[in-house]
Amino acid sequence: MRIDLNCDMGESFGVYTLGHDETAMPYVTSINVACGFHASDPNNIVKTIKKAKRHNLAIGAHPSFPDLVGFGRRAMAASHEEIYADVVYQIGALMGICKTEGLTLQHVKPHGALYNMAEKDSKVAAAIAKAIKDVDPNLFMICSCGSMMVQGAQNVGVKYVEEAFADRAYTQEGTLVSRREQGAVIHDPQVVAARVLTMITTGKVQTIDGFAVALKPQTICVHGDTPGAIDMIKAIRTSVVQEGIEVRPFSV
């Protein structure tokens, strides 16, 4: 049994620092690097890629809507053609920087509102998937477990893996509880670690109202910018390894 741990990184901007990238890197296996549309800038992206190379991490692009002010969390009325073009552009930027370090991309994971829209709309997901496949058919698309993203990826024929979120509560429909609701984010590292272990070993997760829904993730998203994030990531990694589960990038 094996699992990949992915984490969003490279979201600092100019002189402003966000997240605990370098502290979290030893405990994850894949990272999703902001491409400049919701966070980051060319210099910060270069720095993030260099750090990732030192830690031998698999690298993915983390494209979003062009929304620096809203951190990519605001839905935009973009056409499928615009979404396609934006995703192609952002993948290309990150690919170019990776090339300067002799690295290749493993995957693409949409960010924020773009991810949320793709979860619910297979046509939005297909626009993202087509962009990924057209840039490089060897790239994987990270999709929310059992969502319309999976259908969109399948319709286009892009490679994909399904992911679950370590510290987010789920509904009976298998979707994430809105951050606006109480209990949407779980903060206890031991509780989160136990949930992740259950997801991996049983393919199920307990919902916010006590039911069980099926999830079969190949990668688990851990957050590196929330309070206590590093302790949580360490707890997850420790519990998984102690259970004899191999932690490595999903493409290896």
Side-chain angles (χ1 to χ4, degrees):
M1 191 173 288
R2 55 182 286 194
I3 196 67
D4 171 68
L5 299 179
N6 79 78
C7 188
D8 301 346
M9 293 193 180
E11 292 179 325
S12 297
F13 185 82
V15 298
Y16 302 99
T17 300
L18 180 65
H20 308 280
D21 290 7
E22 200 152 15
T23 309
M25 282 183 176
Y27 304 102
V28 301
T29 45
S30 297
I31 62 170
N32 319 302
V33 182
C35 303
F37 272 36
H38 76 278
S40 200
D41 56 67
N43 190 41
N44 271 306
I45 296 172
V46 169
K47 289 179 180 178
T48 302
I49 296 303
K50 287 179 179 293
K51 292 174 186 176
K53 183 178 182 179
R54 290 199 297 269
H55 289 278
N56 197 30
L57 298 173
I59 299 168
H62 201 31
S64 75
F65 285 124
D67 179 25
L68 275 173
V69 173
F71 199 67
R73 289 178 175 164
R74 300 182 294 189
M76 299 182 70
S79 69
H80 296 151
E81 291 77 16
E82 289 171 320
I83 290 171
Y84 171 89
D86 282 350
V87 173
V88 167
Y89 182 93
Q90 292 174 82
I91 297 171
L94 198 62
M95 268 189 158
I97 292 174
C98 284
K99 188 175 181 179
T100 66
E101 292 295 321
L103 302 173
T104 58
L105 285 183
Q106 171 185 252
H107 67 274
V108 177
K109 175 183 171 179
H111 166 82
L114 184 59
Y115 186 103
N116 295 338
M117 288 176 65
E119 276 188 294
K120 303 174 181 66
D121 188 331
S122 63
K123 291 184 178 179
V124 170
I128 296 168
K130 186 176 188 304
I132 295 168
K133 188 177 180 181
D134 286 354
V135 172
D136 184 351
N138 293 313
L139 290 171
F140 288 83
M141 177 174 172
I142 291 185
C143 303
S144 179
C145 280
S147 71
M148 287 294 177
M149 294 176 82
V150 173
Q151 184 178 322
Q154 291 173 339
N155 290 345
V156 171
V158 73
K159 296 194 293 185
Y160 70 92
V161 293
E162 297 185 52
E163 82 166 338
F165 288 78
D167 62 350
R168 295 293 305 278
Y170 279 85
T171 68
Q172 291 184 44
E173 291 73 37
T175 59
L176 296 177
V177 174
S178 169
R179 286 181 179 270
R180 290 187 288 270
E181 294 187 29
Q182 187 174 0
V185 181
I186 304 164
H187 299 285
D188 187 317
Q190 299 309 318
V191 171
V192 171
R195 282 167 58 86
V196 169
L197 204 54
T198 300
M199 290 179 196
I200 299 168
T201 57
T202 71
K204 295 180 181 179
V205 66
Q206 187 176 38
T207 66
I208 194 168
D209 46 4
F211 291 87
V213 293
L215 294 175
K216 295 183 178 179
Q218 294 148 287
T219 182
I220 301 289
C221 178
V222 296
H223 289 119
D225 59 351
T226 54
I230 303 304
D231 288 339
M232 188 172 292
I233 296 171
K234 287 180 181 178
I236 293 168
R237 177 91 184 215
T238 298
S239 68
V240 168
V241 171
Q242 286 179 344
E243 197 66 22
I245 299 167
E246 185 179 8
V247 183
R248 64 176 180 176
F250 52 77
S251 63
V252 176

